[in-house]
């Protein structure tokens, strides 16, 4: 058939329980016509970069009533990516447009109901639209500025601080004149936080036998803002160390995603005694702020006031290992897959 090409894909084998493995996914090759069916409102994308993100782990399990759909066994995994429009029957997109948004883990994707953003600024690396200029950037922006209502000089603690979101929250806080401490899982990541991202302090949580004592050491007066990416024992240690009327933005809890039974949190009474506000948020609810976010962040990037570290895996074949690596902290910075090396 004219216009047919081979299309490599990453498929979820079956729903996953416990720690995911590379073998929970497999590579296959199908064929796809490089044409959008007439009158379908769809777009055909050539995928350039794919984003590996912690929220994808719960999607590998069947969860009823989740804010984001589970993957379907036997079908390609989907996630955020950067792509070029090859053909369009959608009035909002033209052939040649560069876009970011939800796409498939495959070389080419036919998207029938596009949730895509057109890329306007091409004088920055395109891969940034999987990170600092995409969903993780928006997550950091919304969680810090909208949920935490930060003020100059406040004390800010960020867990999983060298990841796609944490590295930005820390830099936003420094731009505002806050005292910023991050936790991470290796010496290299701790060095990165202090030397590259400008955190005031950072520690390796794996080397702290007593997390409560570690937090007291870095925050003798207490924590105003906790940006929560980890959950579990760390959240339990943070609660007694919060200042009165402190704020906690619950962005994610990566320590819990591979557990069949989530860990309990024992110190919740501190929410009452310290008059804390702990708020969960989902970035999907806030994309109307994307133009305002770009207006703020693009100048900061161009002036060198914000830096961003990516961990680039080359080739679609490397995507399963890159995704699994997130859950053992293999990545340094934002994990991205370049579809064609």
């Amino acid at each position: 058939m004219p216009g047919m090409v081979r299309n490599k894909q990453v498929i979820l084998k079956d729903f996953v329980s416990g720690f995911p493995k590379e073998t929970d996914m497999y590579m296959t090759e199908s064929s796809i016509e490089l044409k959008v069916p007439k009158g379908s409102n769809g777009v055909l994308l050539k995928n350039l970069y794919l984003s590996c993100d912690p929220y994808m782990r719960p999607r590998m399990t069947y969860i009823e009533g989740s804010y984001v759909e589970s993957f379907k066994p036997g079908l390609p995994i989907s996630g955020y990516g950067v792509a070029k429009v090859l053909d369009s029957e959608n009035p909002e997109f033209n052939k040649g447009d560069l876009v970011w948004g939800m796409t498939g883990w495959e070389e080419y994707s036919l998207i029938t109901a596009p949730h895509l953003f057109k890329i306007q600024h091409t004088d920055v690396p395109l891969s940034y639209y999987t990170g600092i200029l995409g969903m993780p950037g928006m997550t950091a922006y919304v969680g810090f500025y909208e949920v935490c209502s930060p003020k100059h000089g406040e004390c800010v603690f960020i867990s999983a601080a060298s990841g796609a979101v944490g590295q930005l929250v820390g830099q936003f806080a420094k731009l505002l004149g806050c005292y910023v401490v991050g936790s991470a899982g290796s010496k290299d990541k701790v060095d990165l936080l202090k030397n590259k991202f400008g955190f005031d302090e950072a520690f390796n949580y794996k080397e702290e036998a007593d997390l409560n004592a570690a937090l007291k050491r870095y925050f003798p007066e207490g924590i105003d803002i906790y940006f929560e990416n980890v959950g579990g024992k760390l959240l339990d240690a943070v609660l007694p160390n919060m200042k009165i009327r402190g704020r906690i933005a619950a962005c994610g809890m990566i320590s819990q995603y591979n557990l069949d039974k989530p860990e309990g949190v024992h110190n919740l009474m501190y929410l009452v005694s310290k008059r804390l506000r702990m708020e969960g948020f989902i970035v999907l609810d806030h994309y109307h702020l994307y133009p305002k976010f770009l207006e703020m962040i693009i100048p900061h990037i161009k002036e060198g006031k914000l830096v961003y570290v990516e961990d680039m895996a080359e080739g679609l074949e490397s995507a399963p290992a890159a995704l699994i690596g997130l859950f053992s902290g293999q990545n340094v910075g934002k994990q991205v897959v370049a579809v064609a090396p």
Side-chain angles (χ1 to χ4, degrees):
M1 194 185 282
M4 294 296 277
V5 295
R6 288 139 86 91
N7 189 22
K8 276 193 259 176
Q9 300 174 304
V10 178
I11 308 288
L12 181 69
K13 196 181 283 182
D14 208 345
F15 287 128
V16 174
S17 73
F19 208 91
K21 307 178 291 298
E22 276 182 66
T23 50
D24 291 322
M25 294 164 270
Y26 64 90
M27 297 292 302
T28 189
E29 207 171 78
S30 63
S31 54
I32 186 169
E33 191 180 0
L34 295 184
K35 196 99 196 86
V36 178
K38 281 271 176 267
S40 69
N41 207 40
V43 293
L44 181 78
L45 303 179
K46 178 176 173 55
N47 293 314
L48 306 174
Y49 295 100
L50 300 173
S51 181
C52 297
D53 296 296
Y55 83 91
M56 296 170 78
R57 171 60 189 90
R59 296 187 71 192
M60 298 172 100
T61 307
Y62 180 69
I63 300 175
E64 242 176 283
S66 172
Y67 71 94
V68 63
E69 251 188 317
S70 293
F71 296 136
K72 293 184 173 59
L75 291 179
I77 280 173
S78 62
Y80 284 94
V82 173
K84 187 173 193 171
V85 177
L86 295 185
D87 189 31
S88 174
E89 284 286 311
N90 187 298
E92 288 182 42
F93 301 100
N94 299 311
K95 183 178 176 177
D97 282 349
L98 290 164
V99 295
W100 74 271
M102 274 289 168
T103 187
W105 275 34
E106 53 194 351
E107 291 175 291
Y108 302 94
S109 293
L110 178 62
I111 309 288
T112 48
H115 293 288
L116 300 168
F117 294 88
K118 239 187 247 196
I119 292 175
Q120 313 289 1
H121 300 271
T122 53
D123 50 352
V124 291
L126 283 180
S127 56
Y128 275 18
Y129 289 90
T130 66
I132 186 170
L133 295 175
M135 180 274 286
M138 270 298 288
T139 302
Y141 175 78
V142 167
F144 186 60
Y145 292 110
E146 301 288 317
V147 176
C148 293
S149 314
K151 295 188 272 300
H152 175 85
E154 288 194 311
C155 296
V156 178
F157 176 51
I158 302 153
S159 53
S162 69
V165 175
Q167 57 173 293
L168 282 173
V169 176
Q171 292 180 83
F172 290 161
K174 285 310 298 173
L175 285 172
L176 200 59
C178 296
Y179 167 74
V180 182
V181 180
S183 64
S186 75
K187 183 189 180 305
D188 287 350
K189 290 179 183 179
V190 167
D191 289 347
L192 196 65
L193 292 174
K194 292 202 284 195
N195 303 328
K196 181 102 179 172
F197 300 134
F199 282 53
D200 294 289
E201 290 290 351
F203 65 90
N204 180 350
Y205 68 89
K206 292 175 184 169
E207 289 178 354
E208 299 291 345
D210 184 341
L211 289 168
N212 185 34
L215 291 169
K216 277 198 173 34
R217 191 164 76 238
Y218 292 109
F219 296 99
E221 305 291 309
I223 301 165
D224 291 295
I225 289 174
Y226 173 42
F227 199 96
E228 166 67 303
N229 291 311
V230 168
K233 294 180 179 68
L234 191 52
L235 174 59
D236 234 352
V238 164
L239 286 164
N241 285 287
M242 293 295 292
K243 285 188 191 176
I244 287 176
R245 294 203 171 78
R247 287 88 71 208
I248 300 173
C251 174
M253 299 195 178
I254 197 169
S255 71
Q256 305 301 296
Y257 296 162
N258 298 313
L259 304 178
D260 290 331
K261 192 168 178 243
E263 291 172 323
V265 175
H266 303 278
N267 283 326
L268 287 175
M269 183 58 198
Y270 285 99
L271 289 173
V272 180
S273 61
K274 289 178 178 275
R275 291 75 119 189
L276 304 177
R277 181 165 63 80
M278 183 171 180
E279 185 178 337
F281 70 99
I282 301 292
V283 71
L284 304 175
D285 302 336
H286 300 273
Y287 277 138
H288 61 281
L289 297 173
Y290 187 62
K292 183 180 159 193
F293 161 71
L294 281 184
E295 224 169 86
M296 182 277 280
I297 204 162
I298 292 278
H300 284 327
I301 295 171
K302 290 185 174 165
E303 289 161 24
K305 286 183 183 166
L306 287 174
V307 292
Y308 201 64
V309 171
E310 296 178 309
D311 194 326
M312 190 70 72
E314 299 287 342
L316 189 62
E317 301 77 8
S318 68
L323 178 58
I324 299 310
L326 287 180
F327 304 104
S328 54
Q330 297 296 312
N331 58 304
V332 177
K334 164 72 198 154
Q335 185 65 65
V336 188
V337 177
V339 176

